[in-house]
Amino acid sequence: MTKNKSWLHKAGEIAIEILIIVFAISFSLFLERQREESNDQKLEKDFYSGLTIDLKQDREQLQSDRKFFVNMSHAFDYFKRMSDTTKLNADSINVNYNYLISSSDFVSNSAHYQALKSTGKLSIIENKELLNQIISLYETKIPILISSTRFFNDKKEHGIIAYAESHMRMGKNTNITQVMSDPIAKNYLLTGGYITQIINNYDDALKAVDTVLAKTTKEED
């Protein structure tokens, strides 16, 4: 009987020790989770702050680039209307020709998004709707915009720009009306139709930026 009591006593002590160990491990894991959650919350807040700055810079550039392409569209229309009998205006020619031969490429300020993505920590963003909108902006909207502008710039460089530079004289004795009235030039100028889609892509990107920016600003508060 004494032996049984002794065994039960030892078993009780072992059970208590096991419970203490289990509690210690559980409590340690709890504290670690709390620490990780706290770190993730700080990282999320810092991400929103940085992203807001990036988005404001992107918005400014998007608006500027969009205006540039609107003016470029006007330049294409200007030269498409040109004929041998067009009365020349030096200022109008210079302004429109500069837009015709110039290019613009959007460069996104995506440093904070790319940094968080590279660490595999995008999941720390608790607002999943916002997360999906951020991903859509940087993985869909902006890439489509950049792809469309690069495609158009390449077509323009090897089309109307190359043709104009090899056939046109500028200055007092310019032959610009003859060059731009040529059927080959008119055909190249038809590529200006791409600009409408590019402007639409800028509008889509701007709308997405405004949507995300409104929410990241709110999340910062």
Side-chain angles (χ1 to χ4, degrees), residues 61-70 199 202-203 206:
Q61 186 185 348
L62 285 166
Q63 289 177 320
S64 176
D65 286 358
R66 184 189 184 281
K67 183 178 180 181
F68 173 86
F69 277 101
V70 168
I199 293 172
Y202 270 99
D203 288 338
L206 276 165

Side-chain angles (χ1 to χ4, degrees), residues 43-59 108-117 122 125 127 130-135 137-138 142 208-217 219-220:
L43 182 59
E44 181 184 20
K45 196 168 186 64
D46 289 344
F47 169 71
Y48 285 138
S49 297
L51 185 64
T52 297
I53 295 172
D54 289 346
L55 290 171
K56 287 179 178 179
Q57 292 174 341
D58 278 350
R59 192 177 192 282
S108 177
N109 296 281
S110 60
H112 289 89
Y113 170 74
Q114 296 298 342
L116 190 64
K117 177 184 173 182
L122 287 174
I125 300 176
N127 187 332
L130 174 56
L131 173 59
N132 290 334
Q133 290 169 335
I134 292 171
I135 293 174
L137 171 64
Y138 286 110
I142 290 177
V209 166
D210 285 342
T211 298
V212 174
L213 187 56
K215 292 183 178 180
T216 57
T217 303
E219 291 288 344
E220 284 187 272

